[in-house]
Amino acid sequence: MIYQRKAYQRLQEWKQSNGRASMLIEGARRVGKSVLAEEFGRREYAKYLLIDFSQAPREVIDLFLHQRHDVDSFFRYLFAFYAFEPVERDTLIIFDEVQFCPQARAFTKQLVADGRYDYLETGSLVSIQRNVKDILIPSEEESLELNPFDFEEFLWALGERPLADLINSNYQDKQPLPDMLHRKAERLFREYMLVGGMPQVIARYVTDNSFMAADEAKRSILRLYRQDIEKYGEIEAKNIAAIFDEIPAQLSRHEKRFRLASLRKGARYQAYQASFFWLADARLINPCFRSTDPNIGLGMNMEQSAVKCYMADTGLLVTHAFSDSRSTKENVYRDILFGKIELNEGMIVENIVAQQLKASGHKLFYFSQSDANSSRMRVEIDFLLAEPYENAAGRYRISPIEVKSGKRYSTSSLDKMRAMYGKRIGTEYVLAPKPLVADAQGNRIQLPLYMSGLL
């Protein structure tokens, strides 16, 4: 089943560049990279050729290793092997799973310069050392990160486009949804939290109308990720697996910052830095770093060793949290959906907001400050964004975001942060399971969780 993805429009924009660069689609395994690339080739070109390097025969690999000096001969041999007849300037060649043949990625520099065809690459783990060693990464390469479905794409898949459009327009107008539609959006967002955004999981959920069927698909993906860690993690495999297994427990803690001491007494970030990078490059996690001085240019003031480790897909996190059993029954999911079973809502809700912000193109930062002698100095802000602030003539300010899983909450950290940093602070956001409310001054907005992807 093929669903509409927002990334498709980005590919259409790339196509208009008339072949001045190749396009690399990066993303986690099973996030839909190959499906997107092939659907784009089928709909937008007269012809397309997909070369899957994960199973390409030795003869094809040899062409990319030994025939790059003569582009004309390369094409003749390649097209003869696949019995393929291209249409010049209307053919897309897809290098699928290009990490298995890094030389093909380097070769796109010459192929793009040749100008006869367009080139899409798909890949996972394309930045780790083994996949960039001894190759020159072409400057004639653009990149697109394909994330799991965001909530809007999830609604499209469920046939709820009118509701998705209404949520979007009401967010722009800063108007709450009518109560009936607000309740519907909240219920569908909770479904989304449990199902997640992996395409084959959504397909199982839509086809079977079953959380248990979706759970089976998620367990299959988690097994694949564990196999990848063992196979491609190399000397870091043990540390990578230890971090990955510990994610639900770490996120269930109040402050959610990853404590390396839980892995090994006296552990230091430097010893695990490569493992965190591997997980981030595989798109299995969304790391969120502490900002030590909240200001424009958040990345310049981040503390890498103070990291929250969110899973890239919240549906996978839910299943990962229940990994001590062989399956999660339908009634368990239903009870969680309707709040009949106590689950760490804070963990799930904060992870889904991180997922939505990442899908919207934001890098993730948080802020925390503590004082052992005074609780009044304790500040915990879940996320920070740099964005234009209407009350400062559109100049950029820091927008702090607090995520609330319940309907009753305090905003003391937001109050303290504005008092501490004054004019640095722009619009404050509270994301909670409640309708939209904006104060008259535009300084603080309460948003329902289902609008988090619109920030």
Side-chain angles (χ1 to χ4, degrees):
M1 189 176 296
I2 302 203
Y3 298 115
Q4 183 178 352
R5 303 299 306 269
K6 295 178 180 178
Y8 194 95
Q9 182 179 351
R10 170 77 190 282
L11 292 179
Q12 289 178 313
E13 294 167 357
W14 162 77
K15 186 175 186 284
Q16 298 307 311
S17 68
N18 297 315
R20 290 192 295 268
S22 60
M23 173 64 83
L24 172 65
I25 305 174
E26 299 183 70
R29 295 252 267 158
R30 300 291 176 86
V31 81
K33 303 182 298 296
S34 303
V35 171
L36 175 64
E38 196 163 3
E39 180 69 4
F40 185 71
R42 182 181 297 113
R43 293 175 57 181
E44 304 293 334
Y45 290 83
K47 291 284 192 71
Y48 77 93
L49 173 64
L50 185 142
I51 303 169
D52 183 352
F53 286 110
S54 68
Q55 54 188 13
R58 187 70 238 177
E59 294 89 340
V60 171
I61 300 296
D62 285 343
L63 284 177
F64 286 91
L65 296 179
H66 307 303
Q67 203 60 45
R68 287 179 288 169
H69 64 284
D70 185 346
V71 173
D72 289 332
S73 295
F74 169 82
F75 283 135
R76 283 199 303 271
Y77 298 151
L78 182 71
F79 297 153
F81 183 88
Y82 285 103
F84 180 75
E85 297 182 29
V87 176
E88 195 164 308
R89 290 310 316 143
D90 202 7
T91 291
L92 178 69
I93 300 178
I94 302 169
F95 294 165
D96 197 26
E97 303 289 1
V98 74
Q99 73 273 12
F100 290 108
C101 186
Q103 294 81 5
R105 183 183 180 192
F107 191 26
T108 57
K109 180 180 180 68
Q110 294 165 254
L111 297 176
V112 167
D114 174 75
R116 277 175 268 188
Y117 315 112
D118 289 352
Y119 302 90
L120 267 183
E121 309 154 78
T122 78
S124 305
L125 293 169
V126 295
S127 301
I128 62 173
Q129 186 175 2
R130 64 177 288 178
N131 290 332
V132 295
K133 185 180 179 182
D134 301 326
I135 72 163
L136 179 66
I137 298 175
S139 56
E140 299 80 1
E141 178 188 83
E142 297 181 22
S143 65
L144 182 160
E145 183 172 359
L146 188 63
N147 295 292
F149 283 45
D150 65 14
F151 181 53
E152 187 172 25
E153 291 173 316
F154 180 78
L155 290 178
W156 295 348
L158 267 57
E160 294 284 356
R161 181 176 287 272
L163 178 60
D165 292 344
L166 183 66
I167 291 171
N168 202 316
S169 64
N170 277 41
Y171 169 79
Q172 299 300 329
D173 296 338
K174 297 298 181 282
Q175 293 294 321
L177 266 63
D179 286 346
M180 177 184 67
L181 293 175
H182 168 72
R183 290 193 296 271
K184 179 179 180 180
E186 278 203 317
R187 175 180 58 80
L188 289 171
F189 190 75
R190 287 185 67 83
E191 287 184 30
Y192 170 63
M193 286 196 298
L194 297 177
V195 173
M198 301 303 280
Q200 71 181 94
V201 178
I202 294 173
R204 286 291 302 275
Y205 182 67
V206 170
T207 302
D208 297 358
N209 191 28
S210 165
F211 284 113
M212 190 171 178
D215 185 76
E216 291 171 357
K218 287 187 288 179
R219 288 176 186 272
S220 175
I221 293 172
L222 289 171
R223 284 193 296 271
L224 177 66
Y225 288 171
R226 291 181 185 280
Q227 292 165 6
D228 283 349
I229 290 171
E230 184 177 343
K231 187 174 182 180
Y232 305 116
E234 299 180 327
I235 62 173
E236 296 292 334
K238 185 176 180 181
N239 286 348
I240 295 167
I243 294 170
F244 187 70
D245 287 341
E246 186 67 15
I247 289 173
Q250 294 288 329
L251 289 179
S252 67
R253 297 172 53 247
H254 173 70
E255 66 172 11
K256 297 178 177 60
R257 173 178 167 177
F258 201 101
R259 287 185 177 177
L260 289 171
S262 63
L263 304 180
R264 180 171 56 85
K265 186 177 180 180
R268 294 291 181 267
Y269 179 75
Q270 288 77 10
Y272 288 86
Q273 187 172 9
S275 301
F276 280 108
F277 174 80
W278 193 99
L279 286 164
D281 189 53
R283 305 304 195 271
L284 303 191
I285 64 168
N286 289 328
C288 179
F289 298 104
R290 179 174 175 263
S291 174
T292 57
D293 183 26
N295 209 335
I296 303 304
L298 288 164
M300 295 187 294
N301 299 295
M302 70 177 183
E303 184 181 352
Q304 283 194 316
S305 60
V307 60
K308 296 180 183 180
C309 195
Y310 299 107
M311 280 193 70
D313 182 74
T314 307
L316 292 180
L317 172 64
V318 172
T319 297
H320 194 17
F322 287 117
S323 60
D324 54 343
S325 59
R326 294 183 61 183
S327 65
T328 307
K329 302 300 183 184
E330 185 75 16
N331 64 306
V332 174
Y333 271 105
R334 296 286 176 187
D335 286 346
I336 295 172
L337 179 67
F338 296 111
K340 296 179 181 179
I341 289 182
E342 285 295 325
L343 184 68
N344 191 320
E345 289 271 335
M347 170 181 74
I348 304 300
V349 169
E350 198 167 313
N351 199 94
I352 199 72
V353 170
Q355 181 177 336
Q356 298 302 284
L357 294 176
K358 180 69 161 48
S360 297
H362 298 292
K363 293 184 178 180
L364 302 181
F365 300 95
Y366 73 97
F367 179 75
S368 67
Q369 174 182 286
S370 60
D371 187 334
N373 299 317
S374 174
S375 61
R376 291 180 299 175
M377 296 301 295
R378 184 176 302 149
V379 180
E380 294 182 13
I381 302 295
D382 298 315
F383 300 102
L384 301 174
L385 299 182
E387 62 174 11
Y389 183 40
E390 188 174 310
N391 292 346
R395 289 190 289 272
Y396 273 75
R397 295 290 185 266
I398 295 300
S399 287
I401 300 173
E402 283 212 66
V403 180
K404 307 296 183 180
S405 58
K407 295 184 177 182
R408 301 184 65 177
Y409 55 80
S410 164
T411 59
S412 59
S413 283
L414 288 177
D415 300 334
K416 293 174 189 175
M417 192 162 190
R418 186 172 287 277
M420 290 165 56
Y421 291 103
K423 292 183 179 180
R424 293 191 195 181
I425 304 302
T427 305
E428 304 162 355
Y429 295 100
V430 180
L431 299 178
K434 299 180 73 174
L436 186 153
V437 177
D439 69 10
Q441 292 75 35
N443 290 328
R444 180 174 296 176
I445 301 176
Q446 173 186 280
L447 286 177
L449 291 165
Y450 55 76
M451 287 186 177
S452 55
L454 300 174
L455 287 170

